[in-house]
Amino acid sequence: MRGAGLASTRRFAYCAGPEQMPQHALNSTRASTPDPLVRIRDLHFRRGKRAIFDGIDLEIPRGRITAILGPSGTGKTTLLKLIGAQLAPAAGTVEFNGVNVHRLSTPALYTLRKHLGMLFQSGALLTDLTLFENVAFPLREHARLPEPMLRNLVLMKLEMVGLRGARDLYPRELSGGMARRAALARAIALDPMMIMYDEPFSGQDPISMGILVRLIKQLNDALGTTSVLVSHDVAETSTIADYVYVLSGAKIVGRGTPAELRESDSPTVRQFMGGLPDGPLPFHFPARPLLDDLLEKTP
Amino acid sequence: MIDLLADLGRGSIAVFQRLGRGHLFLLRVLASLGTLVVRPGLIIRQIWSTGVQSLVIIVISGTFVGMVLGLQGYNTLVTFGAEESLGLVVAKSLLRELGPVIAALLFAGRAGTALTAEIGFMKATDQLSAMEMMAVDPLKRIVAPRFVAAIVAMPLLAAIFTAVGVLGGYFCGVGLLGVDAGSFWSQMQTKVLLMEDVVNGVVVKGVVFGAVISWIAVFEGYDAVPTSEGVSAATTRTVVHSSLAILGLDFILTGLMFN
């Protein structure tokens, strides 16, 4: 936890230089304020002919856990990549701390990304490095810290996720849950303002899932970070999310606290939150009638 | 007929789009080389994995190619009573052609495929995306050091291949077939020219082949479809394209250098 203080000092050091992103964008307080950390307006994104987002508006408040729920394939990961400016929208804006991320120059964008942590679904640990070196990687790249200080910082991050004892292991020697926790330690290495979690619970056993749920909540509360959680695990996400958006059919079909959404009148939201097979969300991929396929002569 | 033409058109456009992407990628890699000046350690680590770890295959192949040259050269030269020129034949063949070309083909198979597979795997497992999100440019951190390391390693490997090949030729010609050792070395010493044979052959061809192999290898890895099939196809393309490029460029370079 002490790392947060150290990194706060560093955060301002990163922003020095006229070519970097505007100071006002980063100097504002981390505490929960009425102005959201991320503001998305009228976002459109297409993949080929298919619309992934068709004019969505979304706000992520500071210091809270915001969940983005939706069935698989609705573009939840794409949304995180749009926020991190790894993808560019067809139209609309994504503002992080008042700055349009898609208007930034490459150096300014890279400066901004130092304040964003992302936990990938696969963990995305660097396979040729030990856990220690994986967590040390962003620190070595961006902060010229003396080796003893770097070691202490990395060990503290690993301690937070319970993997200090596994620091000399390689990613291939870890279970899925451990790999995700290690990736989480790396994501918080630079003490980011916001952490984006991409499907953190998928493919986890109940114990790992419980640990991850608790960790995300603890990190958010202890470090004062803003968290964005993309998931299709309704039950786990609802226990820790302060606010939830439900994505479906390229639109936001529901928004509110988990309790509000459970009481929602929207058939789509009810179907998704309740895990019901029947409803507006089709089980079948669009296709012609089954009889036509069965009666068709094969060559 | 129309469909055939449309397919042909689509295929051609795809080829040219890929060529364009490859060239733009090369420009981006060249623009990111500046970082390596302040972090030479990144290149040295890659020279170890692409160059030093290719030494075994280069030394063994060089020895056998030199020995075969010694045998074949002796059998041909002896019919004209010119077996004293064996050293010259072995050295010139290796310096001008066989050294750089075979070393490059082996390098493409050993190190080029490793580069493509490594970068492709990193892409498929989101490691490159994760680096971007950690504000680390993968072109500077991953691609550029590998690109430069291959260019540095290739001429050195071609030189080692050639030197070992000459020793293989000596072993066969002098050791087994009885060619006079003094003639073997003296003919080589007087007729092999520094600029025409050594620099043109090993250095220039080595650097050009190294640049082409590393460009193709890193581009194929970076541009690979991020699935196991995609990485496998990219690795195959690296070998095929590199080999064809080496042989084609060898003809062009030989034409420019020796005519």
Side-chain angles (χ1 to χ4, degrees):
Chain A
M1 309 297 165
R2 279 177 295 158
L6 274 170
S8 305
T9 322
R10 253 190 356 263
R11 173 171 304 115
F12 297 108
Y14 292 146
C15 301
E19 78 291 357
Q20 311 290 22
M21 65 182 296
Q23 279 287 317
H24 70 81
L26 295 170
N27 286 358
S28 52
T29 173
R30 267 178 164 199
S32 181
T33 51
D35 70 310
L37 185 60
V38 176
R39 180 181 280 129
I40 294 174
R41 286 282 171 268
D42 195 26
L43 187 75
H44 290 74
F45 184 79
R46 305 185 73 82
R47 233 181 252 288
K49 289 178 181 171
R50 186 175 158 233
I52 305 291
F53 299 124
D54 190 13
I56 65 167
D57 292 313
L58 189 148
E59 286 177 353
I60 293 165
R62 293 167 194 271
R64 301 288 174 83
I65 299 177
T66 305
I68 296 161
L69 298 177
S72 300
T74 46
K76 301 188 295 296
T77 304
T78 306
L79 185 63
L80 295 187
K81 290 194 168 180
L82 283 161
I83 295 173
Q86 284 191 300
L87 294 172
T93 57
V94 177
E95 287 182 6
F96 179 84
N97 221 3
V99 175
N100 184 343
V101 295
H102 297 106
R103 288 276 175 86
L104 291 173
S105 64
T106 307
L109 177 63
Y110 272 56
T111 305
L112 180 140
R113 282 184 183 159
K114 288 174 194 167
H115 306 276
L116 283 176
M118 180 151 171
L119 179 70
F120 284 76
Q121 193 174 351
S122 58
L125 291 167
L126 303 175
T127 46
D128 58 336
L129 301 179
T130 60
L131 276 202
F132 182 93
E133 286 303 325
N134 259 290
V135 179
F137 183 82
L139 293 165
R140 287 196 198 284
E141 291 292 319
H142 299 305
R144 289 195 182 84
L145 296 175
E147 197 59 30
M149 186 187 282
L150 182 133
R151 181 175 178 277
N152 289 349
L153 260 177
V154 172
L155 290 181
M156 280 196 294
K157 302 294 176 193
L158 283 170
E159 176 74 11
M160 286 166 94
V161 298
L163 290 174
R164 185 169 47 84
R167 60 181 179 266
D168 294 327
L169 298 182
Y170 282 88
R172 63 175 176 275
E173 299 172 286
L174 302 177
S175 67
M178 286 165 78
R180 217 160 287 187
R181 278 192 279 152
L184 185 51
R186 188 181 64 180
I188 57 170
L190 291 172
D191 290 292
M193 292 171 81
M194 183 171 91
I195 307 175
M196 300 191 281
Y197 300 90
D198 185 8
E199 301 281 8
F201 310 125
S202 68
Q204 299 293 307
D205 62 72
I207 298 172
S208 300
M209 204 182 276
I211 292 171
L212 278 167
V213 168
R214 213 175 58 237
L215 258 178
I216 292 170
K217 180 72 178 156
Q218 278 175 354
L219 286 174
N220 192 79
D221 295 348
L223 300 180
T225 40
T226 301
S227 304
V228 185
L229 209 158
V230 147
S231 181
H232 53 236
D233 293 291
V234 177
E236 286 70 27
T237 309
S238 299
T239 58
I240 51 168
D242 296 306
Y243 200 79
V244 178
Y245 288 91
V246 180
L247 270 176
S248 180
K251 298 267 189 198
I252 288 174
V253 294
R255 61 179 77 198
T257 62
E260 285 168 356
L261 283 178
R262 272 192 291 271
E263 304 303 318
S264 169
D265 295 333
S266 158
T268 311
V269 175
R270 288 183 76 88
Q271 184 193 1
F272 183 72
M273 298 297 281
L276 307 172
D278 296 318
L281 298 173
F283 167 67
H284 290 285
F285 196 83
R288 60 182 180 165
L290 174 64
L291 196 60
D292 290 358
D293 264 348
L294 295 178
L295 293 177
E296 187 182 63
K297 285 183 182 163
T298 49
Chain B
M1 186 64 190
I2 295 292
D3 285 350
L4 191 72
L5 279 175
D7 285 348
L8 192 68
R10 262 195 294 274
S12 309
I13 289 170
V15 167
F16 282 108
Q17 274 179 336
R18 218 174 131 65
L19 264 177
R21 276 207 309 280
H23 283 84
L24 287 175
F25 176 80
L26 179 65
L27 288 179
R28 287 170 60 204
V29 173
L30 292 176
S32 58
L33 292 183
T35 326
L36 301 175
V37 178
V38 286
R39 295 181 73 179
L42 291 175
I43 305 180
I44 292 166
R45 212 169 303 146
Q46 292 308 318
I47 289 178
W48 167 262
S49 58
T50 53
V52 178
Q53 294 193 337
S54 302
L55 267 177
V56 174
I57 189 172
I58 290 290
V59 168
I60 294 175
S61 307
T63 310
F64 281 115
V65 169
M67 285 165 67
V68 169
L69 262 182
L71 275 176
Q72 292 282 17
Y74 178 83
N75 285 335
T76 309
L77 292 171
V78 81
T79 51
F80 306 105
E83 64 271 23
E84 291 81 14
S85 303
L86 183 65
L88 178 65
V89 169
V90 169
K92 285 239 181 199
S93 313
L94 281 167
L95 282 167
R96 287 186 172 198
E97 293 299 332
L98 294 175
V101 171
I102 298 181
L105 291 172
L106 292 169
F107 187 70
R110 160 67 183 76
T113 51
L115 283 179
T116 303
E118 186 187 14
I119 296 174
F121 177 76
M122 290 181 88
K123 185 180 179 186
T125 52
D126 280 332
Q127 292 181 53
L128 298 183
S129 273
M131 273 191 197
E132 281 182 3
M133 285 307 295
M134 286 187 277
V136 177
D137 187 349
L139 278 182
K140 290 179 181 166
R141 184 63 175 74
I142 299 293
V143 175
R146 285 160 175 77
F147 178 74
V148 173
I151 295 176
V152 174
M154 184 56 237
L156 296 174
L157 290 174
I160 292 168
F161 184 98
T162 304
V164 174
V166 168
L167 291 177
Y170 175 85
F171 171 73
C172 249
V174 178
L176 300 180
L177 300 167
V179 174
D180 179 55
S183 307
F184 186 92
W185 292 118
S186 64
Q187 290 253 2
M188 201 187 301
Q189 196 177 357
T190 49
K191 301 271 175 58
V192 170
L193 304 172
L194 178 67
M195 285 308 291
E196 196 169 312
D197 298 319
V198 180
V199 174
N200 269 349
V202 173
V203 180
V204 176
K205 283 187 176 179
V207 169
V208 172
F209 294 162
V212 170
I213 294 167
S214 59
W215 174 29
I216 292 173
V218 292
F219 173 67
E220 289 294 352
Y222 207 78
D223 199 53
V225 177
T227 60
S228 39
E229 294 86 1
V231 176
S232 158
T235 311
T236 308
R237 278 199 302 274
T238 293
V239 178
V240 173
H241 293 178
S242 298
S243 305
L244 294 176
I246 291 161
L247 297 172
L249 277 171
D250 183 49
F251 175 72
I252 294 169
L253 287 173
T254 306
L256 290 173
M257 287 168 177
F258 301 113
N259 288 320

